[in-house]
Each structure stands twice: as C-alpha cells, then as structure tokens.
Amino acid sequence: QLLVRAAKGKHDGDALATARTLGVRYVAEGSVRRLGRRIRINVQLHDAETGQNRWAERFDADEDDVFAVQDRIVRS
C-alpha cells in the first residue's frame, strides 16, 4: 500500500503519521521545479513503519518530455 503526498513545504512527518493511521506501508513525496522550459522532479519513497528513506531520485527534462519523465519515474 502506498500513500502519495502532494503538498507544498518541507517533509514534516505528518504524511508518515497519516500513513501509519491508515495502515499504509510507504509514502511517496516529491517536488517539481521549473526554469524556463526545463523541469526537475525530485521523488522520495519513505517507509512509514520506520520513517527511513527507501529511495530517492532526481529527474531532469524538457517540459515537452513530461510524459516520458512520468514513465521513467514509474519504472524506477
């Protein structure tokens, strides 16, 4: 089970607490930055039981490739 969090601001632990309450094992968090036509997406996967970061990766692309980046993230 996975909880995906989309929120502004820093990771504050609330998503982990929510995941524990819901019985969700993992929490995916991320951010998107844009500069001109370039985008940078940062994604992190946290273990809700331990609070540990299990995986993190950064993806850079042109905004025209946003769907290709989405596919890369899913495959990762």
Side-chain angles (χ1 to χ4, degrees), residues 39-74:
I39 57 171
R40 172 169 285 172
I41 301 170
N42 291 297
V43 183
Q44 298 176 39
L45 184 67
H46 303 282
D47 185 318
E49 290 182 2
T50 66
Q52 292 182 332
N53 186 345
R54 302 304 255 165
W55 172 82
E57 195 161 339
R58 179 181 74 206
F59 301 87
D60 294 317
D62 187 78
E63 69 180 5
D64 293 335
D65 297 330
V66 70
F67 294 116
V69 173
Q70 182 181 17
D71 291 341
R72 284 176 39 212
I73 293 169
V74 170

Side-chain angles (χ1 to χ4, degrees), residues 6-25:
K8 288 187 173 187
K10 290 188 170 189
H11 169 72
D12 57 10
D14 286 343
L16 294 177
T18 301
R20 289 182 193 118
T21 300
L22 296 174
V24 174
R25 177 67 193 266

Side-chain angles (χ1 to χ4, degrees), residues 32-40 63:
V32 177
R33 293 183 185 176
R34 182 179 178 161
L35 179 60
R37 296 183 51 79
R38 299 290 296 165
I39 57 171
R40 172 169 285 172
E63 69 180 5

